[in-house]
Amino acid sequence: MADIEIQNLSFSYKHGEILKNISANFKTGVFTGILGKNGSGKTTLLKIIAGLLPYNRGKIKVNGIDIKGFKDTERAKIIGYLPQSHHPTFAFKVIDVVLTGRFSYVFTVPKNKDIERAEEAMDIVGIGHLKERIYTELSGGERQMVMMARLLCQGPEIMLLDEPLTHLDLPNQVKMWDIINRLIKRNHTVIAVLHDITTALRYAKHLVFMKDGRVVHMSDRATDDSIVEKLKEVFDIDISIVQTQKGMLVFPI
């Protein structure tokens, strides 16, 4: 399994600098939630770790190895990415979309073991009944669960989730968290961009706070007594936290 170390990472689009000298660590078997306002660089950071955006300044290492040295197929076996939403181009069946998670293992056509892996992933996510459906005809929530099944079929050590609850109804939100908890118990490294602060405080063990393209705080939720102050600083609002038996609830004041 894998640790991630980010050293002095910066990234710019044509219109300006998005990430500014970021350094952070993500430990094996820990669920990390990334919090921050829109435009703070959270999604950009995930995409760079996933290898979807090039970077010129800084380093990203997995178990001490710079990810720039990975081939695409090598990276896919180690790092997987779940986007906020997916806009399909072709009308593939759901089973075929899930099978694309095996591209780093399949050289010509999928073998029986690849199909079995895809069907197992669909069963875990609870979408086996959608197997023969056309992906483009599904609802946004159903597509999100298909993409999660694709990620499980891929089977990477590190899973990067960008707003994993996007489009999901309550039952599927519960199912998604159950899947994430199982991944953590199997010692996967899971990093998720989260907009729901209450959800982040309930599920994430480690928190990374981003503001204006920088990592301004890193925190262990269980031992940090200054989370309220950190949240106020990052989101520029007054908030109140109520402690319940199930966890903390966050309210704007």
Side-chain angles (χ1 to χ4, degrees):
M1 293 297 132
D3 289 342
I4 304 173
E5 181 182 3
I6 300 174
Q7 302 173 346
N8 307 118
L9 176 68
S10 296
F11 177 82
S12 298
Y13 288 113
K14 290 183 179 179
H15 61 271
E17 194 172 33
I18 304 300
L19 300 181
K20 305 169 185 177
N21 199 36
I22 285 179
S23 294
N25 294 306
F26 302 92
K27 295 298 182 182
T28 298
V30 174
F31 177 31
T32 299
I34 301 179
L35 297 172
K37 293 196 293 187
N38 293 340
S40 60
K42 304 183 301 297
T43 292
T44 299
L45 177 60
L46 284 197
K47 286 183 175 180
I48 290 173
I49 298 172
L52 301 176
L53 291 174
Y55 63 97
N56 295 316
R57 289 176 288 168
K59 292 183 178 180
I60 301 176
K61 296 181 179 180
V62 173
N63 288 340
I65 302 173
D66 195 318
I67 65 171
K68 283 189 174 181
F70 294 150
K71 297 178 181 178
D72 289 344
T73 52
E74 293 173 333
R75 183 187 292 109
K77 293 177 181 179
I78 300 171
I79 304 173
Y81 175 67
L82 178 73
Q84 287 184 30
S85 58
H86 180 248
H87 304 287
T89 304
F90 302 106
F92 292 116
K93 290 183 178 180
V94 166
I95 179 64
D96 295 324
V97 173
V98 175
L99 274 169
T100 61
R102 302 295 294 169
F103 86 91
S104 59
Y105 300 91
V106 176
F107 297 99
T108 52
V109 296
K111 298 180 180 178
N112 287 337
K113 64 179 181 180
D114 298 306
I115 296 172
E116 290 172 3
R117 183 70 176 264
E119 291 176 339
E120 178 185 2
M122 287 188 292
D123 287 340
I124 290 172
V125 175
I127 58 167
H129 61 290
L130 300 177
K131 176 180 176 179
E132 298 297 325
R133 289 278 303 277
I134 301 301
Y135 180 70
T136 52
E137 297 175 358
L138 301 181
S139 69
E142 288 172 328
R143 290 182 192 177
Q144 188 75 346
M145 297 306 279
V146 171
M147 295 307 290
M148 189 63 189
R150 180 187 183 278
L151 185 61
L152 294 177
C153 186
Q154 180 181 337
E157 301 174 25
I158 298 167
M159 299 197 177
L160 310 173
L161 315 178
D162 193 0
E163 282 298 315
L165 304 185
T166 299
H167 306 304
L168 298 185
D169 57 20
L170 186 58
N172 276 324
Q173 289 182 30
V174 173
K175 189 174 294 180
M176 181 67 79
W177 288 122
D178 179 63
I179 293 168
I180 291 172
N181 285 330
R182 279 193 268 175
L183 291 170
I184 295 301
K185 289 177 180 178
R186 293 175 184 173
N187 220 30
H188 287 274
T189 304
V190 181
I191 306 170
V193 168
L194 300 167
H195 281 152
D196 188 319
I197 301 172
T198 294
T199 296
L201 295 182
R202 179 174 181 181
Y203 291 101
K205 180 178 179 181
H206 187 244
L207 298 171
V208 171
F209 299 85
M210 294 187 67
K211 186 173 184 178
D212 299 327
R214 293 182 170 90
V215 171
V216 293
H217 297 293
M218 289 183 286
S219 172
D220 186 331
R221 171 180 53 80
T223 60
D224 190 349
D225 295 326
S226 60
I227 285 180
V228 173
E229 287 71 24
K230 290 181 173 68
L231 290 170
K232 288 179 180 179
E233 176 188 347
V234 167
F235 289 100
D236 295 316
I237 59 171
D238 287 330
I239 63 169
S240 176
I241 290 182
V242 176
Q243 184 69 49
T244 72
Q245 291 182 341
K246 294 294 185 179
M248 292 181 281
L249 299 177
V250 179
F251 301 95
I253 299 176

